[in-house]
Amino acid sequence: MTQHCLPWFDLPSAQALCDSGAWQRGLALQRSGRVLALGVSPLREGWLLEGRVQGTQRYPYDVSLELVLMPDRQVDYFRSDCSCPVGGQCKHGVALLAQAALATDAQGVAA
């Protein structure tokens, strides 16, 4: 039986913070199971997401992302860095963000 949980932040609220093409491709990566690892750590103001995402190349990309939320669970800010040629705010960062949104809360994600 599949358990459905309320996300700990509102993923669609982050869409305006990146390119629409990267957004759609990143969601497709996440839905196809290409997020290989995800860890979440608290920051002074927000969260640090770190993980690996398999793109089109042979080896997965290392991705880190800073996430700041508003009190109503809306995304106030996110900035990703990636080892891919784009370097940041790319589809791999969106995939990592989407995977994190599916966790019941930040502590429910493996570090």
Side-chain angles (χ1 to χ4, degrees):
M1 180 173 165
T2 304
Q3 182 179 8
H4 297 281
C5 300
L6 181 68
W8 58 284
F9 66 90
D10 181 52
L11 180 62
S13 68
Q15 185 172 0
L17 302 175
C18 73
D19 174 75
S20 63
W23 182 263
Q24 294 303 321
R25 290 188 302 276
L27 294 180
L29 281 174
Q30 186 276 328
R31 284 191 297 265
S32 65
R34 307 296 285 271
V35 177
L36 306 179
L38 170 64
V40 177
S41 305
L43 295 173
R44 183 177 166 146
E45 293 183 30
W47 301 93
L48 175 64
L49 282 57
E50 297 178 292
R52 299 186 68 159
V53 178
Q54 184 66 56
T56 55
Q57 299 300 312
R58 180 178 180 144
Y59 298 105
Y61 295 112
D62 295 317
V63 184
S64 64
L65 188 147
E66 181 183 347
L67 174 66
V68 177
L69 304 176
M70 293 185 276
D72 63 356
R73 299 182 313 135
Q74 301 292 303
V75 175
D76 185 33
Y77 171 87
F78 88 90
R79 184 51 132 183
S80 66
D81 290 309
C82 184
S83 62
C84 76
V86 174
Q89 296 306 89
C90 61
K91 63 185 178 183
H92 309 106
V94 172
L96 194 71
L97 185 66
Q99 187 70 31
L102 296 177
T104 52
D105 58 36
Q107 287 73 38
V109 178

